[in-house]
Amino acid sequence: MLLTGAEIICECLLEQGVDTVFGYPGGAALNTYDALYKYSDRIKHVLTAHEQGASHAADGYARSTGRTGVVMTTSGPGATNIVTGLATANIDSIPVVAITGNVTTDQLGRDSFQEVDIVDIVKPITKASYLVEKVEDLAPAIRKAFALAQDGRKGPVLVDVPKDVTANKTEFTPAEPKKPRIFEVKNPESIRVVQELIRNSKRPMIYAGGGILSANASPEFKAFAELIDAPVCCSLMGLGCIPASHPLCMGNIGMHGGYETGMATAECDLMIACGARFSDRVAGDREKFGEQAKIIQLEIDEKEINKNVHVDEYILGDVKEILIALTVGLEQQNHADWIAKIGEWKHKFDDKEVKKDSSYPSAREVLEALNDIKADDDIIATDVGQHQMWVAQYSKIEKNKTLLTSGGMGTMGFGMGAAVGAQVSHPDKRVFLVTGDGSFHMNLNELVTLKSYDLPVVVLIMNNSVLGMVRQWQKLFYGNRFSQTDPHRATDFVKLANAFGIDGMTISSSEEIEPVLKAAVALNKPVVVDIKISPDENVLPMIPPGKTVNEIITEM
């Protein structure tokens, strides 16, 4: 077939099984968008309000499906507007392919209108980025991008296509998509060593990360945890790898994890890090983190071994394959006393009176009510801040790929786009965006996308009228000097929602939580709920940065 470059892009997308792309048109991408018009019966394009929203939507699509998300933009500002989205996907290992337009090849390097060297700009925050200067090279570049996005440790790849390349024609030969490589265990001799460490352990624990979800290894992980009878402490990215209701699931670990998960890291004799990278928000004081224990790392990316915390043993390969190999020949373990001890730690502060301003509903009350209303396979997306940590603490994440949150980058403004991507890819599920008023002000423009596509996302704004997490740090570490965290905004979120053609509701007391949430869900269309919580509701417990569980803060 003799096709234009623009048509080749569409054919390659179909080859890769792509049914949905997110983006925003512009001059340098017009040929591609003209081709999309012809292919609209097979490729759905979701137009967002801003390219950053499109990049987060592609990311949310990928996180909630395991498939590669696709974002398309024009050149210049269209391309640079997705940089934050690519950085977010990169640090959380999310497969995304970005296809950007650029000026014609004869105008490259001349500071032409809307020209930018996006390939070099994104090199540090993608697995790879390519400039395609000949139409003959276009199909191979796109195919390579999709293969690389899903290969090994997943991540984003960018393909930059000048306008003349999309107009020129060449012979196109269809091809089957390249199957992902199977990452076999690179050091199989370590399997037996690790099994022996497990057999000899009296107090094992598993530090579970997002790599388990990325590898689609939740069933294998659950079987492994049950076999070795070890408590599971999840990173923010790892939540959902084992049901929250499972007796071995101890919840979130790290700065805002429970006392029990902090004590488990301090008292265990064996720590198995599974698809996790010992980030600063988990490890705190890296020299003391698990210093009393033997530490094992199960990891696909060799660069992560000993990068943050020194480990005693590691197994390199696909986490799913590692977990299967570890269970072969390993006997059922039993650590009932150890798990009971962790249960005691879990209830250590139960008798401590929680100070609550009764004139406000609390975030915990809202999220616990949401647990009762939503289905287990419904999806929660978050932005970043106090509300994100409250979700990690109180939301019951029972299924994998049902919590979409920016872990490593901490991107305020991520949530609305992610919710769009998740709802588009799962029309049979309900998607809830839990956000704060600070984050919501960064992405409220995407309400237009919810309305345009009639996406029944329920937006829950934890509205404390301040920049809550930064303000909490100012309380703790900056002598209550609230510099620029009390912005005195007067936004009426209900009227704002109405202006976009969306229903708005308000929760201003505890008694209103359940009826309003049920009413919002029953609408089965986009809705914004303004939840007026106290500006002094804090996220506790908290381990200060660079510290250990021995310095945990439980009240303020």
Side-chain angles (χ1 to χ4, degrees):
M1 293 185 290
L2 190 66
L3 299 179
T4 65
E7 292 167 332
I8 287 171
I9 290 173
C10 294
E11 289 289 339
C12 286
L13 291 177
L14 291 173
E15 273 183 6
Q16 299 296 326
V18 174
D19 55 11
T20 305
V21 300
F22 304 87
Y24 204 100
L30 276 177
N31 294 330
T32 303
Y33 273 80
D34 190 50
L36 280 171
Y37 183 84
K38 302 175 197 173
Y39 284 78
S40 60
D41 59 330
R42 287 172 285 172
I43 301 173
K44 178 178 182 177
H45 182 283
V46 176
L47 176 67
T48 56
H50 191 280
E51 291 91 351
Q52 183 171 331
S55 65
H56 293 322
D59 180 313
Y61 177 98
R63 289 181 198 243
S64 61
T65 64
R67 299 165 64 187
T68 302
V70 180
V71 57
M72 302 180 74
T73 78
T74 189
S75 61
T80 57
N81 280 344
I82 67 171
V83 169
T84 299
L86 295 178
T88 301
N90 186 63
I91 199 166
D92 286 348
S93 304
I94 308 302
V96 170
V97 168
I99 300 174
T100 54
N102 212 331
V103 299
T104 56
T105 51
D106 63 321
Q107 294 296 324
L108 290 171
R110 299 174 182 270
D111 290 334
S112 303
F113 178 68
Q114 289 193 335
E115 180 199 359
V116 71
D117 185 359
I118 193 63
V119 169
D120 278 346
I121 287 172
V122 303
K123 275 183 178 176
I125 54 167
T126 55
K127 292 186 74 173
S129 56
Y130 310 112
L131 172 65
V132 181
E133 297 186 77
K134 296 179 180 177
V135 69
E136 295 80 8
D137 297 332
L138 183 55
I142 293 175
R143 290 165 179 158
K144 185 177 180 181
F146 274 90
L148 186 56
Q150 289 279 358
D151 186 63
R153 182 175 179 174
K154 300 172 184 179
V157 181
L158 181 137
V159 182
D160 193 34
V161 190
K163 190 171 184 179
D164 56 322
V165 174
T166 61
N168 295 338
K169 292 185 176 182
T170 192
E171 194 67 29
F172 175 77
T173 304
E176 288 292 319
K178 186 177 179 181
K179 292 182 179 178
R181 283 188 297 164
I182 297 175
F183 274 70
E184 296 179 351
V185 177
K186 289 189 177 180
N187 53 335
E189 68 282 356
S190 295
I191 294 289
R192 303 292 169 251
V193 177
V194 170
Q195 286 180 328
E196 199 57 30
L197 287 170
I198 291 171
R199 289 187 182 99
N200 293 331
S201 171
K202 304 298 182 187
R203 303 182 308 279
M205 67 154 283
I206 302 174
Y207 159 32
I212 298 166
L213 304 178
S214 183
N216 294 312
S218 293
E220 291 80 6
F221 174 74
K222 178 173 171 285
F224 173 71
E226 290 172 344
L227 180 66
I228 71 171
D229 198 32
V232 177
C233 304
C234 298
S235 73
L236 185 63
M237 292 294 297
L239 290 168
C241 69
I242 189 170
S245 59
H246 194 287
L248 291 176
C249 183
M250 300 301 158
N252 195 32
I253 186 175
M255 179 177 285
H256 291 293
Y259 179 73
E260 66 277 12
T261 59
M263 287 302 295
T265 64
E267 297 293 331
C268 66
D269 62 10
L270 179 68
M271 181 187 298
I272 304 173
C274 187
R277 57 186 182 83
F278 301 98
S279 82
D280 58 303
R281 288 300 169 98
V282 168
D285 186 334
R286 291 190 174 105
E287 296 299 318
K288 295 181 179 178
F289 184 75
E291 62 181 344
Q292 79 294 336
K294 293 285 187 182
I295 301 180
I296 299 166
Q297 192 168 5
L298 314 181
E299 177 62 49
I300 197 169
D301 186 355
E302 192 166 6
K303 297 192 297 292
E304 291 296 335
I305 304 297
N306 293 317
K307 186 176 85 173
N308 290 323
V309 170
H310 176 76
V311 299
D312 298 282
E313 194 66 50
Y314 66 88
I315 304 175
L316 202 59
D318 183 86
V319 165
K320 183 188 290 245
E321 301 301 319
I322 294 171
L323 291 170
I324 292 171
L326 280 174
T327 59
V328 176
L330 185 61
E331 309 79 16
Q332 178 67 52
Q333 307 295 302
N334 188 299
H335 303 106
D337 292 345
W338 166 235
I339 292 170
K341 181 65 177 176
I342 294 175
E344 292 176 18
W345 288 327
K346 189 169 187 174
H347 299 289
K348 179 177 174 63
F349 299 108
D350 283 358
D351 59 349
K352 187 184 289 291
E353 183 181 353
V354 178
K355 296 176 181 177
K356 177 186 179 299
D357 188 336
S358 60
S359 60
Y360 293 93
S362 74
R364 179 172 186 169
E365 290 173 323
V366 172
L367 294 172
E368 289 180 344
L370 183 61
N371 289 334
D372 295 332
I373 292 171
K374 76 176 187 69
D376 287 348
D377 59 355
D378 285 343
I379 294 169
I380 294 178
T382 83
D383 277 299
V384 172
Q386 287 180 314
H387 67 273
Q388 179 189 33
M389 295 298 101
W390 286 321
V391 166
Q393 291 176 337
Y394 304 126
S395 292
K396 301 299 183 185
I397 309 301
E398 294 290 327
K399 301 266 184 90
N400 64 75
K401 297 184 172 66
T402 61
L403 174 63
L404 316 180
T405 193
S406 172
M409 188 57 56
T411 306
M412 293 175 71
F414 164 83
M416 185 78 81
V420 167
Q423 191 70 82
V424 166
S425 59
H426 295 91
D428 56 328
K429 298 182 181 182
R430 294 308 300 268
V431 177
F432 298 87
L433 169 60
V434 181
T435 185
D437 53 299
S439 287
F440 183 68
H441 275 110
M442 291 193 176
N443 59 28
L444 58 82
N445 54 333
E446 294 303 339
L447 288 177
V448 73
T449 311
L450 297 187
K451 179 60 179 177
S452 295
Y453 295 92
D454 199 25
L455 301 174
V457 174
V458 179
V459 181
L460 304 176
I461 306 172
M462 299 295 185
N463 180 9
N464 53 14
S465 300
V466 295
L467 305 183
M469 185 61 88
V470 184
R471 190 173 185 269
Q472 180 171 327
W473 280 52
Q474 288 172 338
K475 290 179 193 174
L476 285 167
F477 311 122
Y478 293 88
N480 288 305
R481 295 184 294 278
F482 298 132
S483 176
Q484 302 305 313
T485 53
D486 189 357
H488 301 290
R489 289 171 177 152
T491 309
D492 185 323
F493 293 125
V494 171
K495 289 181 178 178
L496 178 77
N498 295 160
F500 282 98
I502 292 174
D503 284 15
M505 301 179 179
T506 301
I507 294 174
S508 54
S509 69
S510 298
E511 293 72 26
E512 293 174 335
I513 294 173
E514 184 178 352
V516 172
L517 289 183
K518 286 183 175 179
V521 171
L523 283 174
N524 199 32
K525 60 183 182 179
V527 59
V528 171
V529 184
D530 182 6
I531 308 168
K532 298 185 181 300
I533 65 171
S534 169
D536 291 309
E537 185 173 353
N538 300 301
V539 182
L540 295 173
M542 178 181 183
I543 298 174
K547 304 296 183 180
T548 70
V549 69
N550 295 322
E551 295 154 285
I552 193 168
I553 298 168
T554 59
E555 59 183 341
M556 291 174 60

